[in-house]
Amino acid sequence: MTRITSDRLSPTERAKKLHQFCITRGLTIVPRSIQSIIPAPVTLYPTPFPRSAFQKALQVQHPIQKLYRQLAQDEDFINQHIGPIAQGDPFIERLYKIWQDTKHLTKSRIELQIYRSDYLVDKNSLEPKQVELNSIACAFSSLSQKTFELHKYLDASCKPRNVQRVSSGARLPQNGNIANMAEAFIKANDLYAEMFGRSRDDLAVLVVAGSEEGNVMDQHWLEIEIGMHGIHVMRKSLTEIANTAELDSASQILKIDGWEISIVYFRSGYSPSDYISETEWTARRTLESSRCVLASNVGLQLTGSKKVQEVLITNPSIMRKYLPEATARLVETTFMQMMPLADGLDHAKQGTGWVLKPQREGGGNNVYGEDIPAAVEKMTKEVMDGYTLMERIDAAKVDGVLVRNGDIWQGSIVSELGIYGAVVCSNDTVFYDETTGYLLRTKQSNANEGGVNVGISVMDCPLLMDDASFRQRIVE
């Protein structure tokens, strides 16, 4: 295998140190297939990334959070743009109906909004181009920090003497996601306690978890950080919640196992597969009908759909309703062309250079290039209304080394940057609005889809450099 750094250790020797770090420091996953803790899939070296693109993604995060916070409170906007797609999408229809029935509660609740905006770097302009905006679950906020720590450790322990470590400059950006994200939860919990005259001892944070969760360690790091501040954290599936939750219809107090729930954090509930029966839908409606702080509520989940991303691109005046002109223009530089599928049938028939996206989260749902025409041919008009057509990003490729299940692979890779943020608010009052950290996921450049959980991408850390240096790293 070709060396791509000046390490004193071979890739195999470095991979051994990587394995030891992952196991001892909790950079791990629990695959459903084996139900045993193993190291998370990661890159062997940090991946080159243009500093300008990284900084711009950070720069637009606050405006994006402000924009989506206000869109989620705009009932007319949700009715106008989500209502129509609900007619051809049973999953969106169920969520939309819950929102209609519970939206009045939002005005009296504290909100905890968690975001992750994902980007690929255009290989020509080196601009960050938005892939999507996630407004529920936002996985890997903890393991992304652990991956930064991994590469900082490997850099220090594998370099020869008298060779500058990359982390000694500002080339490996700091990532404090765990403490920063926990700060938002603690703030929301304490605001709930203050509003309703409770103490921390009375309250619990509820994590809505999948019944077979492979990314459980990512969740546990955040749970532990919150628990270290004296706040009880419990985990329940939607099925368990339906069987144990007690909702007082007068006060909207939600109790489970005797604990009053202050915050509900959805790490499940964003996919149709999470609702195997009416039992799970009953649980979701119960949670949305409570006075709990919901991270994130159903209105924000709907607002994070691909359709809203499309509408912001095709209707520039909407963004300017909430953001100043200069800020709106800055955010727009990260956009690719998007359109309703019905308006882009000529592009869809060609397929090449486009991605067809449904209103889904979690990876594995998109249709790419040559597969688009056949997929569209099978759709009714109602189903077609639920799809968005997006111009495909011609992403920069570099050389890298991936490690998964102990196997080492080297070749052309593409990296996707995610910027995390959290907002605690109530109506127009904002108590917390911060960028909390970042995520870098990397995959083989010939893979269409991404996602660590679906076995395609691996965890990574950016090695920041100037544009000229990065261009020298680009491969075809």
Side-chain angles (χ1 to χ4, degrees):
M1 176 175 293
T2 304
R3 288 177 180 263
I4 61 174
T5 74
S6 58
D7 281 15
R8 62 182 175 82
L9 301 181
S10 69
T12 301
E13 293 170 325
R14 185 181 178 105
K16 290 180 181 179
K17 283 185 171 289
L18 179 152
H19 184 278
Q20 294 164 357
F21 180 96
C22 289
I23 293 297
T24 57
R25 298 300 293 267
L27 179 48
T28 53
I29 58 173
V30 185
R32 297 176 184 178
S33 58
I34 61 175
Q35 288 297 299
S36 178
I37 296 175
I38 65 171
V42 292
T43 52
L44 191 58
Y45 308 95
T47 295
F49 200 91
R51 181 181 287 106
S52 60
F54 185 86
Q55 291 174 339
K56 187 169 189 177
L58 290 174
Q59 185 180 6
V60 299
Q61 186 65 21
H62 277 292
I64 287 173
Q65 290 173 188
K66 178 183 178 181
L67 173 64
Y68 276 83
R69 173 175 62 83
Q70 295 181 305
L71 288 175
Q73 297 172 351
D74 190 333
E75 295 181 11
D76 291 339
F77 177 86
I78 295 177
N79 280 321
Q80 180 180 353
H81 298 291
I82 301 299
I85 65 175
Q87 298 175 19
D89 189 324
F91 178 62
I92 297 297
E93 182 182 25
R94 294 295 296 265
L95 293 174
Y96 180 63
K97 183 62 168 64
I98 293 175
W99 172 77
Q100 287 181 310
D101 294 342
T102 61
K103 61 186 178 182
H104 62 283
L105 296 172
T106 303
K107 295 179 174 62
S108 60
R109 277 195 308 225
I110 299 163
E111 294 186 62
L112 171 53
Q113 302 177 345
I114 297 173
Y115 298 96
R116 194 188 72 225
S117 187
D118 294 335
Y119 304 89
L120 291 170
V121 174
D122 180 83
K123 76 172 186 180
N124 295 312
S125 66
L126 301 191
E127 288 281 335
K129 295 298 181 179
Q130 190 183 56
V131 177
E132 64 181 358
L133 187 283
N134 301 276
S135 60
I136 186 169
C138 300
F140 294 108
S141 62
S142 300
L143 292 194
S144 61
Q145 176 179 325
K146 292 299 168 183
T147 306
F148 158 71
E149 294 171 0
L150 164 70
H151 283 296
K152 187 176 181 180
Y153 160 73
L154 290 177
D155 178 47
S157 63
C158 298
K159 286 288 185 184
R161 288 181 64 241
N162 300 322
V163 173
Q164 182 182 23
R165 295 195 295 269
V166 297
S167 54
S168 63
R171 302 178 72 190
L172 291 184
Q174 291 289 326
N175 197 349
N177 237 335
I178 298 173
N180 294 339
M181 193 67 75
E183 183 180 357
F185 278 80
I186 295 163
K187 181 68 174 178
N189 180 84
D190 290 351
L191 285 169
Y192 179 98
E194 180 181 341
M195 177 179 288
F196 298 112
R198 300 292 194 266
S199 72
R200 283 187 180 179
D201 293 338
D202 300 324
L203 305 175
V205 172
L206 169 65
V207 178
V208 183
S211 56
E212 295 183 1
E213 177 58 67
N215 194 24
V216 66
M217 296 304 174
D218 179 58
Q219 300 167 20
H220 284 337
W221 276 111
L222 179 60
E223 294 165 12
I224 291 168
E225 185 70 22
I226 295 169
M228 293 293 287
H229 289 80
I231 300 172
H232 181 66
V233 181
M234 67 171 68
R235 297 171 58 85
K236 298 280 186 183
S237 67
L238 285 169
T239 308
E240 292 170 328
I241 291 167
N243 295 325
T244 59
E246 301 174 6
L247 178 64
D248 185 281
S249 58
S251 65
Q252 286 88 46
I253 293 175
L254 181 71
K255 288 190 175 182
I256 296 180
D257 298 340
W259 289 91
E260 180 174 342
I261 305 301
S262 59
I263 300 175
V264 177
Y265 178 29
F266 289 100
R267 288 300 297 255
S268 178
Y270 55 82
S271 171
S273 61
D274 297 326
Y275 301 86
I276 57 178
S277 70
E278 285 299 313
T279 298
E280 289 71 35
W281 283 112
T282 298
R284 182 62 186 269
R285 180 174 287 274
T286 297
L287 297 174
E288 297 286 343
S289 300
S290 74
R291 73 182 191 186
C292 300
V293 180
L294 302 176
S296 297
N297 66 44
V298 68
L300 188 61
Q301 180 178 351
L302 290 170
T303 307
S305 67
K306 310 299 185 294
K307 175 58 65 174
V308 171
Q309 187 183 6
E310 168 209 301
V311 167
L312 291 173
I313 293 170
T314 57
N315 296 272
S317 62
I318 294 175
M319 194 188 308
R320 284 154 177 81
K321 181 179 176 181
Y322 302 108
L323 299 178
E325 176 66 26
T327 304
R329 286 181 178 273
L330 179 67
V331 174
E332 285 174 337
T333 62
T334 68
F335 290 167
M336 297 297 290
Q337 185 179 4
M338 293 182 76
M339 64 191 71
L341 174 55
D343 293 349
L345 288 178
D346 289 342
H347 297 301
K349 290 176 183 177
Q350 180 183 7
T352 304
W354 295 89
V355 182
L356 188 59
K357 295 187 172 186
Q359 312 307 312
R360 295 291 183 270
E361 304 297 336
N365 300 300
N366 297 336
V367 184
Y368 293 84
E370 297 177 354
D371 295 331
I372 294 177
V376 173
E377 191 174 335
K378 301 174 184 177
M379 295 181 185
T380 64
K381 183 184 183 306
E382 290 75 19
V383 172
M384 196 179 293
D385 287 343
Y387 279 78
T388 289
L389 199 61
M390 179 178 179
E391 182 184 5
R392 189 162 186 173
I393 303 166
D394 190 5
K397 305 170 187 176
V398 299
D399 192 33
V401 182
L402 314 183
V403 181
R404 183 188 297 275
N405 297 328
D407 296 327
I408 303 175
W409 176 93
Q410 181 174 349
S412 174
I413 59 174
V414 169
S415 297
E416 183 172 332
L417 175 69
I419 302 297
Y420 292 96
V423 177
V424 180
C425 60
S426 181
N427 289 322
D428 293 330
T429 304
V430 178
F431 302 98
Y432 183 93
D433 183 0
E434 297 293 339
T435 299
T436 61
Y438 66 84
L439 164 71
L440 196 69
R441 292 170 296 175
T442 294
K443 62 184 180 181
Q444 296 180 25
S445 62
N446 61 358
N448 282 327
E449 286 282 2
V452 178
N453 280 335
V454 296
I456 299 173
S457 299
V458 306
M459 302 294 294
D460 197 354
C461 181
L463 177 61
L464 300 184
M465 57 185 61
D466 61 59
D467 287 1
S469 298
F470 180 75
R471 287 189 187 279
Q472 293 177 2
R473 300 291 191 104
I474 294 178
V475 299
E476 294 299 326

